[in-house]
Amino acid sequence: MVKKVLLVLAVLVAAFVVVVATRPSAYRYQRAATIAAPPALVQAQVADFHRWAAWSPWEHLDPAMKKTFAGPAQGVGAAYHWAGNDKVGEGRMTITGVTPGGVEIKLEFLKPWTQTSLTTFTFAPEGPGTRVSWAMSGENGFTAKAMTLFMDMDGMIGKDFDEGLAKLKAVAEGEARAAATAAAPATAAPAR
């Protein structure tokens, strides 16, 4: 009887390994939003890690999170390291590319697991505003592929991206309104 149980368990484990091994390793998660602000203003929020506190969906998960910045204040070479509770873990982001229409970031998760991804933001004019696309792509190892059998990673990451884009929209549109108000000529009081 014990041999039969062990044989069944071995077959189940082997089947699980085969299923996981045949899953695609490449992943890409993406969300987009339209923001009523010029592309350069929206891109400035992303290309400067110091500004992420205002809109990042992960900032509020650990108010005691330790953050350090390295390299230039913004643009290529700017780096951001965080270490926090189990909700945010530990990781590092480094801006690897900036063009007039995009920002590319190397995203490295260090704890509770290690994973490196490419994060891209694109900023395209759309009417009087900007169409922002936020994507993350990379390759899953065996453990991550196994996790995708039981977790809706697109739904989980997509929810965070949607929240971040909504906050980015509020911040960028607020700055755009403030800039428009500051640039508007003062109206003179009517003569009596």
Side-chain angles (χ1 to χ4, degrees):
M1 180 69 176
V2 172
K3 286 183 181 181
K4 286 183 182 180
V5 170
L6 290 176
L7 180 61
V8 168
L9 284 175
V11 168
L12 289 175
V13 168
F16 177 75
V17 168
V18 168
V19 168
V20 171
T22 58
R23 292 187 60 79
S25 59
Y27 63 86
R28 181 174 174 83
Y29 310 112
Q30 182 174 344
R31 295 295 189 273
T34 301
I35 297 176
L41 189 149
V42 181
Q43 184 168 343
Q45 301 297 322
V46 176
D48 181 348
F49 289 130
H50 298 90
R51 296 175 136 195
W52 281 51
W55 61 268
S56 169
W58 302 289
E59 285 284 328
H60 68 280
L61 296 177
D62 181 3
M65 180 170 54
K66 293 177 177 65
K67 301 180 276 187
T68 57
F69 301 91
Q74 60 186 2
V76 175
Y80 169 71
H81 176 265
W82 75 90
N85 62 22
D86 60 346
K87 292 180 181 178
V88 296
E90 181 179 358
R92 177 177 40 245
M93 293 187 289
T94 306
I95 297 178
T96 58
V98 176
T99 63
V103 174
E104 188 173 275
I105 300 168
K106 179 181 180 182
L107 171 61
E108 300 168 276
F109 293 103
L110 305 173
K111 290 181 184 176
W113 70 90
T114 59
Q115 175 89 26
T116 300
S117 301
L118 172 66
T119 301
T120 57
F121 288 84
T122 57
F123 310 93
E126 185 171 287
T130 304
R131 182 74 176 168
V132 179
S133 176
W134 184 358
M136 182 173 75
S137 59
E139 297 286 324
N140 281 326
F142 184 85
T143 303
K145 288 197 298 185
M147 286 173 47
T148 64
L149 285 171
F150 306 102
M151 301 169 76
D152 176 16
M153 297 303 290
D154 182 66
M156 290 170 45
I157 293 169
K159 177 183 71 68
D160 289 345
F161 282 12
D162 287 338
E163 179 185 339
L165 287 169
K167 290 179 177 180
L168 179 60
K169 177 180 174 71
V171 169
E173 289 180 355
E175 283 194 17
R177 282 190 301 275
T181 300
T187 55
R192 292 188 184 196

